[in-house]
Amino acid sequence: MANTIEKVSIIISKGSLEGIYPGLIMANGARAEGIEADLFFTFFGLDAIHKKRYEHVKVATVGNPGLHLATLAGGLPGMSSVLTHVMERKMGKLDIPGIPEFIEMISDTGADIYACKASVDLFELTKDDLVDQVKDIITVGEFYELAAGGEIIFT
Amino acid sequence: MPTATYADRTVEVNDEGFFVDPAQWTEEMAPEIAEAEGISQLSEDHWRVIKLMRAEYAEKGSGPSVRALGKTSGVSVKELYQLFPKGPAKLAAKIAGIPKPRGCI
């Protein structure tokens, strides 16, 4: 057998739609390949597992040159909501689930989901603020212990 | 081209062990392929998924992803991973004698 990856630990640190999806897709894709996967949400990435926020994650329309939108236009009220809506509709057509459903699906694949303790403390959250799929709130040291022997992917 | 022998018949497979020609596959081969992948007993649920993989391949030219499989088979994503721990769509495709499904979700 050629070189294979047996395990990945994926860190999601950003709270925008385009900051969260790549990590989710990589985690889900890893499980589909039979690769063990853990997800670790830190800083604004916590919004993806925050009960009140994970349905309202938006595309960043300011400071996002990939959108090819004038910075001033990106800052107009409602622009982020409109573009998020457009993006979600496009993703829906490709059968890419919304974040809540995606988190549930990834959890069902057997991947473990963790929240970063420093960030949870910083934002004054508790485990009750986070979705039920979160297995634990862990320190960076505990994350490294979990990640031992695998690949770490930071997004 | 590598070959493999299942149910006393030699078939062509690719480097990852997927059938090159799905027409060479027979149901008798499935338990042997499964066993080589660590699944010692094919249950009714396994067969439901395997048959669905073949049906979808015959219809669309490729097998479904895990998500699509969960939606169409009536077997939940959670159960799919219990049935095929090393990747449901990938393993079921291999056991069903069809190419590995391509898809990111």
Side-chain angles (χ1 to χ4, degrees):
Chain A
M1 187 68 101
N3 277 340
T4 52
I5 294 174
E6 300 296 329
K7 174 178 167 180
V8 292
S9 294
I10 299 169
I11 302 166
I12 295 181
S13 68
K14 297 184 181 70
S16 59
L17 191 89
E18 73 276 20
I20 290 169
Y21 266 97
L24 298 183
I25 291 172
M26 292 192 75
N28 183 60
R31 293 297 303 128
E33 287 295 318
I35 298 168
E36 196 185 320
D38 290 324
L39 266 171
F40 183 73
F41 292 86
T42 185
F43 242 80
F44 297 111
L46 281 178
D47 275 5
I49 50 170
H50 189 294
K51 275 180 193 162
K52 289 193 180 127
R53 294 190 180 150
Y54 79 155
E55 286 175 15
H56 308 288
V57 169
K58 293 200 163 47
V59 178
T61 50
V62 174
N64 187 353
L67 278 181
H68 307 285
L69 191 69
T71 295
L72 269 177
L76 291 175
M79 187 58 88
S80 187
S81 296
V82 169
L83 283 182
T84 299
H85 189 68
V86 171
M87 196 77 94
E88 282 174 345
R89 211 172 44 203
K90 282 187 168 198
M91 293 198 299
K93 277 186 192 159
L94 293 175
D95 200 27
I96 300 174
I99 288 176
E101 192 189 343
F102 215 158
I103 295 282
E104 189 185 346
M105 180 169 88
I106 289 172
S107 174
D108 284 348
T109 69
D112 286 329
I113 295 174
Y114 297 96
C116 157
K117 183 170 187 323
S119 309
V120 166
D121 290 347
L122 177 68
F123 296 130
E124 297 174 349
L125 302 173
T126 67
K127 198 156 187 298
D128 288 341
D129 294 309
L130 305 175
V131 297
D132 297 340
Q133 285 84 8
V134 175
K135 191 174 179 189
D136 205 357
I137 298 169
I138 61 173
T139 66
V140 65
E142 287 160 351
F143 166 77
Y144 280 125
E145 280 174 30
L146 284 168
E151 312 288 330
I152 295 176
I153 301 169
F154 184 88
T155 71
Chain B
M1 186 69 72
T3 58
T5 306
Y6 299 118
D8 300 324
R9 257 186 283 172
T10 304
V11 295
E12 284 182 13
V13 293
N14 70 10
D15 292 338
E16 283 188 281
F18 289 86
F19 275 53
V20 172
D21 178 9
Q24 291 186 328
W25 181 88
T26 63
E27 284 194 11
E28 295 75 56
M29 296 176 178
E32 283 182 36
I33 310 170
E35 184 138 27
E37 294 295 330
I39 299 170
S40 53
Q41 191 82 41
L42 287 178
S43 67
E44 219 170 280
D45 282 340
H46 283 111
W47 273 110
R48 183 138 55 108
V49 174
I50 292 165
K51 284 179 177 161
L52 199 130
M53 295 300 286
R54 283 209 61 98
E56 188 128 334
Y57 175 79
E59 190 189 328
K60 296 179 183 167
S62 78
S65 68
V66 184
R67 174 167 162 79
L69 192 55
K71 281 184 171 177
T72 50
S73 67
V75 181
S76 73
V77 168
K78 207 171 196 169
E79 290 166 320
L80 284 170
Y81 275 92
Q82 283 161 0
L83 293 170
F84 304 96
K86 281 279 175 187
K90 184 181 163 185
L91 264 194
K94 192 181 268 188
I95 297 168
I98 65 168
K100 183 173 164 181
R102 295 186 74 237
C104 289
I105 305 296

